[in-house]
Amino acid sequence: MEKENMIDFIDFGIYKGEPIKWRVLKQDKETLLLITDKIIDTIPYNVNEKAETTWEKSSLRKWLNNEFFNSAFSYEEKMDIIECDVQAESNPLYSTNPGNSTNDKVFILSINQAEQLFEGENIRKTSGTNNAVEKGLFEDSEHNSWWWLRSPGEHGRSTAVVHSNGVVLNHGIPVFYSSGGVRPAIWIKR
């Protein structure tokens, strides 16, 4: 792909009255892989704190592909979003069950994707939108926050995250925590 056709950021959709700014993680002539540049909301990975869960069964997956998808995108934008195979990727340090792969229009990154699609910890660091902060998003002294990954943590009631300092925490955080952030990812037609 020619360098002049490369895209770094794109506005696509509206959430809570604000345009959504997306960072382009991967691109070719026909498609773009996007992740929100900022954390857009604070939603637990799974609302049931006692149940072991996977991406496939998480309440976050259900919310992203229903409420978020239906409210954030126009009819035309929905037509540009590609439903894709989302791999159930294992945690490289723990043998926790990752569940089954899914077909989703909206998803969150795995440990592997977070480590390979960003050029280091500083690029993974992000802050929240006004909406996310108002809803109780954790912020460190530099206003950066942690965000969910879909890979399981050290047990079935935790999932991996990107810490506010940009480091991937494989051991994870309990799935019911509500102070962490959501950075949706989507594939769209170019």
Side-chain angles (χ1 to χ4, degrees), residues 83-180:
E83 187 167 3
C84 61
D85 182 29
V86 178
Q87 295 295 312
E89 295 184 23
S90 298
N91 187 311
L93 300 181
Y94 304 98
S95 59
T96 315
N97 175 16
N100 298 310
S101 294
T102 59
N103 285 307
D104 296 317
K105 293 189 179 212
V106 187
F107 55 97
I108 56 177
L109 299 183
S110 66
I111 289 172
N112 185 43
Q113 289 172 316
E115 290 177 339
Q116 293 187 5
L117 295 172
F118 289 88
E119 296 177 9
E121 296 164 2
N122 281 335
I123 304 296
R124 284 193 293 262
K125 284 193 228 179
T126 194
S127 58
T129 60
N130 291 334
N131 170 66
V133 172
E134 287 169 8
K135 283 186 65 181
L137 178 69
F138 164 84
E139 291 184 292
D140 67 14
S141 61
E142 297 175 356
H143 300 286
N144 292 319
S145 304
W146 62 270
W147 44 284
W148 296 114
L149 297 174
R150 73 173 184 271
S151 303
E154 65 181 318
H155 54 74
R157 291 180 311 282
S158 67
T159 192
V161 299
V162 173
H163 191 277
S164 61
N165 64 8
V167 172
V168 173
L169 298 181
N170 289 42
H171 60 67
I173 288 182
V175 296
F176 62 90
Y177 278 25
S178 60
S179 62

Side-chain angles (χ1 to χ4, degrees), residues 12-15 20 22 40-41 60-84 103-107 182 184-188:
F12 188 82
I14 295 174
Y15 185 65
I20 305 170
W22 301 81
I40 60 151
D41 212 329
L60 177 57
R61 175 178 175 248
K62 183 178 179 183
W63 179 82
L64 285 169
N65 283 281
N66 291 291
E67 289 95 311
F68 174 73
F69 177 78
N70 290 320
S71 67
F73 305 111
S74 69
Y75 175 80
E76 293 77 17
E77 289 167 335
K78 288 176 186 173
M79 294 298 106
D80 285 336
I81 296 173
I82 302 165
E83 187 167 3
C84 61
N103 285 307
D104 296 317
K105 293 189 179 212
V106 187
F107 55 97
V182 180
I186 55 175
W187 281 96
I188 64 167

Side-chain angles (χ1 to χ4, degrees), residues 9-58:
F9 294 95
I10 185 173
D11 285 341
F12 188 82
I14 295 174
Y15 185 65
K16 301 289 186 184
E18 294 182 31
I20 305 170
K21 182 178 182 179
W22 301 81
R23 176 182 292 273
V24 178
L25 293 176
K26 201 174 185 180
Q27 56 191 300
D28 60 30
K29 290 180 181 176
E30 297 174 1
T31 61
L32 300 171
L33 173 58
L34 310 176
I35 187 170
T36 56
D37 188 46
K38 291 188 172 218
I39 293 167
I40 60 151
D41 212 329
T42 57
I43 305 278
Y45 185 84
N46 201 53
V47 292
N48 186 344
E49 66 185 85
K50 294 184 168 63
E52 293 203 0
T53 195
T54 60
W55 169 246
E56 174 190 23
K57 297 177 181 177
S58 71

